[in-house]
Amino acid sequence: MTLLQTINSPVDLRRLQIDQLQDVADEVRQYILETMARVGGHTGASLGAVELAVALHYAFDTPHDRLVWDVGHQTYVHKILTGRRAGMPRLRMYGGIAGFPRREESEYDTFGTAHSSTSISAALGMAVAARQLGDDRRVVAIIGDGAMTAGMAFEALNNAGAMDANLLVILNDNDMSISENVGALNNYLARLMSGRFYAAARPRSPTVRCAPGCATSPGCPARAPSQYPGSSDTAAGRCSPTTGRWPTSTAGAPNRNLAAARRAARSASRTRT
Ligand SMILES: Cc1ncc(C[n+]2csc(CCOP(=O)(O)OP(=O)(O)O)c2C)c(N)n1
């Protein structure tokens, strides 16, 4: 039996060790390739979100926490991990599952959408509603570099920045849209990705799991080690479950590196302009 066959919901995924997640991602990728070769679909877009979907369902307490996928055809991995693996061979067929998220289809589909550029405003609405209700729900918008170019996404960012809502926006930049991406934003992101900030921050990323204060939130691996047995954050002295802070002995390491990376990025952008 493959690992993937044991995952019928994100709860099963969250029982795994962190170092098993890459195997899950590889199996999902293979499953998509095999299935889509037979039935057809938006294969490429979902292949660009395999690790991301696995990581998000592992780190967040879905469906309580809300994942809002911007481009609905990126959600094949999300569908496979949320109990719809067996339905994939009938994707987009009469009586089968939809090629996009549908709220009627699953409690994990938080927003019925095709594409594009609506995720940030939808997620902002959910985050503000959660705050009004005193709910500790976390909300994540996942938006591609293509969808990010639309005015609606910028309106939503502008609004979100002024509302102090608990909202995470993930920019999934794969340098592609309907076809290869063009335009000033694309050029800017390419500069950012090839710049010194990214180069300096990237080697640190495998060790950065919890942000300072993260242990105060319900999905924090350090806060719920039994739910996330693969997490070694507490053991490694990173995110403290009691204070939610990085312990002094090691706190400096990631933060100092990020600070250095930011300084490098600032000086790099000064030299470029
Ligand atoms: C309101 C609106 N604007 C633009 C489009 C065209 N459109 C469809 S998908 C998409 C973005 C796809 O690129 P990306 O978000 O990077 O996702 P990927 O396809 O790479 O997974 C765009 C701009 C649209 N369908 N609707």
Side-chain angles (χ1 to χ4, degrees):
M1 187 183 257
T2 64
L3 259 182
L4 187 58
Q5 283 165 340
T6 68
I7 298 170
N8 295 310
S9 87
V11 175
D12 297 326
L13 178 74
R14 293 194 281 264
R15 286 202 188 99
L16 300 179
Q17 304 289 323
I18 273 183
D19 58 13
Q20 292 177 290
L21 297 185
Q22 187 58 57
D23 291 340
V24 174
D26 293 343
E27 288 178 19
V28 173
R29 186 178 289 105
Q30 191 57 35
Y31 182 67
I32 290 178
L33 283 170
E34 282 165 12
T35 317
M36 292 306 125
R38 291 200 307 274
V39 303
H42 288 98
T43 312
S46 280
L47 291 180
V50 177
E51 275 79 3
L52 182 57
V54 171
L56 287 172
H57 278 293
Y58 192 79
F60 286 89
D61 182 21
T62 54
H64 176 70
D65 291 337
R66 301 280 197 233
L67 302 183
V68 185
W69 296 91
D70 193 282
V71 183
H73 59 233
Q74 272 180 7
T75 54
Y76 294 0
V77 188
H78 160 86
K79 289 196 176 218
I80 290 169
L81 297 175
T82 54
R84 287 168 277 178
R85 185 181 70 252
M88 292 304 281
R90 293 193 45 79
L91 188 87
R92 307 190 310 156
M93 290 180 196
Y94 182 70
I97 61 173
F100 297 104
R102 290 196 70 204
R103 294 174 69 195
E104 310 79 57
E105 193 177 282
S106 166
E107 60 180 333
Y108 292 90
D109 292 1
T110 57
F111 191 58
T113 187
H115 37 69
S116 73
S117 314
T118 52
S119 62
I120 304 176
S121 50
L124 178 61
M126 293 176 200
V128 171
R131 188 176 60 193
Q132 302 272 34
L133 294 169
D135 198 333
D136 65 357
R137 187 192 304 288
R138 293 175 300 169
V139 186
V140 185
I142 305 111
I143 184 164
D145 53 316
M148 191 65 227
T149 56
M152 191 168 173
F154 281 90
E155 269 184 50
L157 276 181
N158 192 36
N159 204 4
M163 293 199 75
D164 196 28
N166 186 5
L167 171 69
L168 174 66
V169 178
I170 295 182
L171 177 64
N172 184 20
D173 178 7
N174 56 11
D175 211 18
M176 287 293 287
S177 182
I178 304 295
S179 62
E180 212 166 307
N181 233 343
V182 293
L185 186 67
N186 181 54
N187 293 343
Y188 171 74
L189 292 174
R191 272 213 320 275
L192 202 68
M193 297 281 277
S194 55
R196 286 165 63 187
F197 169 72
Y198 193 73
R202 194 173 177 164
R204 298 299 310 170
S205 59
T207 61
V208 177
R209 293 203 193 118
C210 296
C214 163
T216 55
S217 61
C220 172
R223 188 177 186 231
S226 56
Q227 194 189 356
Y228 301 93
S231 165
S232 59
D233 290 278
T234 316
R238 293 193 190 108
C239 186
S240 156
T242 46
T243 64
R245 304 253 173 256
W246 303 75
T248 352
S249 54
T250 51
N255 292 333
R256 257 200 310 274
N257 273 289
L258 279 178
R262 285 201 186 102
R263 273 197 304 278
R266 272 199 300 274
S267 90
S269 70
R270 266 200 302 275
T271 44
R272 251 195 305 274
T273 47

